[in-house]
Amino acid sequence: MATLTYQSCLPISSLQALERFAVQLAAFLKPGDLVALNGPLGAGKTTLTQALGRAMGIQEPISSPTFVLMNEYHSGDYPLIHLDLYRLGPQNTASLAEELYALVDEGRSVVLVEWAEYGPFLDALITLSLSIQHVADPALPESRFIEISSNRPLFEMTDDAGGLS
């Protein structure tokens, strides 16, 4: 596995806070980065990807690649490749290894992989790992925690008010 030395846990209290986080994340990422997105169904992996795409200047609508496996977006500052390994399951993802290595080695795109834990062959390529969990409080339906691990120093995650709440 890649050495993901820098770690943090970030509380996100609303979809607006998630948007602000995505803006900061977009400034942190660069072509050639592979971002692992993990978390249970409905945690917000695709929602975060949509917010990140907007922050990167992607013009076209971003949809879940669950049924097509991969979507590519080229209208932003640089290409965004969005994959979802869920339907393949852990036993069938190795068939994509060569294509994924090529995408990352090409270095022109940011590659986001939902359910990255299903592709352990990706571990050495991961630049940033985001694990999204809902807060277990029905009174806070938009709240979640994002555990962040990175192979380079993390950006300061604050907004003008001093936090992402």
Side-chain angles (χ1 to χ4, degrees):
M1 178 166 194
T3 304
L4 301 177
T5 304
Y6 303 95
Q7 299 184 344
S8 183
C9 185
L10 181 64
I12 301 286
S13 63
S14 67
L15 292 177
Q16 294 80 14
L18 188 68
E19 290 280 341
R20 290 191 300 272
F21 171 69
V23 168
Q24 294 175 8
L25 182 60
F28 174 78
L29 295 174
K30 60 186 182 205
D33 285 347
L34 186 138
V35 179
L37 297 171
N38 295 305
L41 287 170
K45 296 178 292 294
T46 298
T47 301
L48 176 58
T49 300
Q50 292 166 335
L52 180 60
R54 286 189 292 276
M56 290 173 56
I58 301 293
Q59 300 299 307
E60 60 263 41
I62 293 176
S63 60
S64 173
T66 299
F67 295 102
V68 295
L69 300 181
M70 183 173 79
N71 290 326
E72 295 184 47
Y73 304 96
H74 296 275
S75 62
D77 302 330
Y78 38 82
L80 174 67
I81 309 293
H82 182 201
L83 292 103
D84 188 327
L85 302 182
Y86 180 75
R87 289 184 55 82
L88 288 177
Q91 64 281 4
N92 296 314
T93 58
S95 63
L96 288 178
E98 229 173 276
E99 185 174 351
L100 291 174
Y101 291 142
L103 285 172
V104 173
D105 284 344
E106 207 171 67
R108 295 184 310 111
S109 308
V110 169
V111 179
L112 281 84
V113 182
E114 292 190 34
W115 298 91
E117 70 264 29
Y118 285 1
F121 59 88
L122 294 172
D123 287 353
L125 303 174
I126 294 172
T127 304
L128 182 73
S129 177
L130 303 174
S131 180
I132 306 170
Q133 300 292 325
H134 270 292
V135 172
D137 185 343
L140 303 169
E142 294 181 353
S143 292
R144 49 190 49 86
F145 285 105
I146 301 179
E147 293 178 22
I148 305 166
S149 300
S150 176
N151 69 357
R152 60 182 183 257
L154 294 168
F155 48 95
E156 186 171 333
M157 297 164 283
T158 61
D159 63 10
D160 295 336
L164 285 171
S165 52

